[in-house]
Amino acid sequence: MIQVFSKQPQIGTTIFTIMSKLATDVGALNLAQGFPSFDCSPQLIDLVNFHLKKGHNQYAPMAGVPALKEAIAEKTSSLYKVSYNPENEVTVVSGATEALYAAITAVVCPQDEVILFEPAYDSYAPSVELNGGIPIYITLEPPNYQINWDLVKQKISAKTKLIILNTPHNPTGKILTINDLNQLAAIVKDTNIFIISDEVYEHITFDGRQHLSLMQHPSLQERTFICGSFGKTFHITGWKIGYCLAPKELSVEFRKAHQWITFATSTPLQYALADFLKEPSYYLALPEFYQKKRDKFLVCLQNSGFSYLPAEGSFFQTVSYSDISDENDYELAVRLTTEIGVAAIPVSVFYHQKNDYKILRFCFAKDDEILEKAGERLSRLFSKSF
Ligand code: PMP
Ligand code: GLN
């Protein structure tokens, strides 16, 4: 019988898969995995149909359909005043997960060190390790999850190849400030350290805050792979389509990895998005749309006993129950799903040592009725059990 030696012995199934399955099995409201409960624009569906019927059904060019690369470059330049050449600095990929993996694969060699901030999106560390890299963790703590840049400086070594950042941040909803970017720029100046900036929630920011892209800082732009996703922006997480923006020399290496991972991304979807991107009002409406959702959810949480700082961005709200209960966050998330009927993500899963700060993450990209129902159920949680 063949013996299998796991390349990832510590890795199980992702928390999103586990919690979504549990939610489905017990019929709970799924506020765990990050996806909207509502559909995308009907115009977008019409555009896909149009391009399917037009015969856009064979392989797209490896780096993306020119019309979509151009539309992404135009949107980027109009929003952030930074120009990327669609020809050789914009690459369309099959979701931000691929963008992250391809960028990591493009630069990380065995024994290279990669600085990660925890809580970290679950794909970062395994993608580094599959490339032989060594994650160097910097722990951010609730409630502010502030980055201590002096600590970052101390963790930099001759082996540091890459720093991975995420703003707006999943799961904390925090947004990096100009002060963060300046401190980062001072640290990487005169080094050969690359940066990946995961900006999939770029359009979801609240209370008048602006998303600050790393591309807007010239000394960071030259070394940064910006990873984006249409999944969050157009309510199409199931389409798995995203992109990477990076200076030419970086994009050359990025594309070398991309061509062996997926080679190209779905052709009709690319054409449809190229057309749809011409109308900025869809994505420009997102801050207001999601702020209403966040505020609605916060009102729904009023009787829950949870404490929280309102999310600054993303479609996630973290809540603390440390004042009320000692229960382990993973166990509480499971119990919440099975007994109360609301699924959440325990934030300890985003720390490599499973730090349990008694924090849960809820996704509020849901119809108002679902948020209201979740609020009613959550108000019973602590009165029932503690
Ligand atoms: N980065 C972050 C921070 C995410 O939350 C997600 C998933 N929502 C991704 C990357 C992956 O995006 P995609 O679904 O486009 O692969
Ligand atoms: N990004 C989504 C989340 O954080 C889930 C993506 C996935 O299931 N891999 O919930």
Side-chain angles (χ1 to χ4, degrees), residues 136-156:
I136 304 294
Y137 295 99
I138 295 189
T139 306
L140 309 181
E141 295 189 343
N144 287 316
Y145 301 100
Q146 213 67 50
I147 297 179
N148 176 345
W149 291 103
D150 289 333
L151 184 61
V152 178
K153 208 167 167 183
Q154 286 166 29
K155 296 267 184 178
I156 301 275

Side-chain angles (χ1 to χ4, degrees), residues 68-86 89-91 199 202-203 211-217 221 224-230 242-247 277-278 280 283-284:
L68 179 56
K69 290 189 296 171
E70 279 156 27
I72 293 169
E74 268 166 38
K75 168 177 172 276
T76 304
S77 139
S78 90
L79 284 178
Y80 304 116
K81 314 289 174 240
V82 180
S83 54
Y84 285 91
N85 184 343
E89 298 185 314
V90 179
T91 309
E199 302 186 5
E202 65 182 313
H203 295 298
H211 166 62
L212 196 53
S213 173
L214 265 67
M215 74 177 83
Q216 290 169 284
H217 203 293
Q221 192 269 349
T224 300
F225 298 88
I226 307 277
C227 298
S229 173
F230 293 111
Y243 54 90
C244 172
L245 305 171
L277 272 177
K278 291 190 186 121
Y283 53 83
L284 294 181

Side-chain angles (χ1 to χ4, degrees), residues 14 16-17 32-35 97 121-122 170 201 232 240 315-316 345 350 361:
T14 80
F16 309 118
T17 308
Q33 194 177 20
F35 63 90
T97 310
Y121 187 61
D122 67 343
N170 176 7
Y201 301 102
K232 324 291 164 185
K240 296 299 296 186
F315 49 42
F316 301 112
I345 299 288
F350 298 109
R361 186 198 82 175

Side-chain angles (χ1 to χ4, degrees), residues 2 49-50 77 148 216 220 231 372:
I2 189 159
N49 279 329
F50 174 79
S77 139
N148 176 345
Q216 290 169 284
L220 296 177
E372 281 163 16

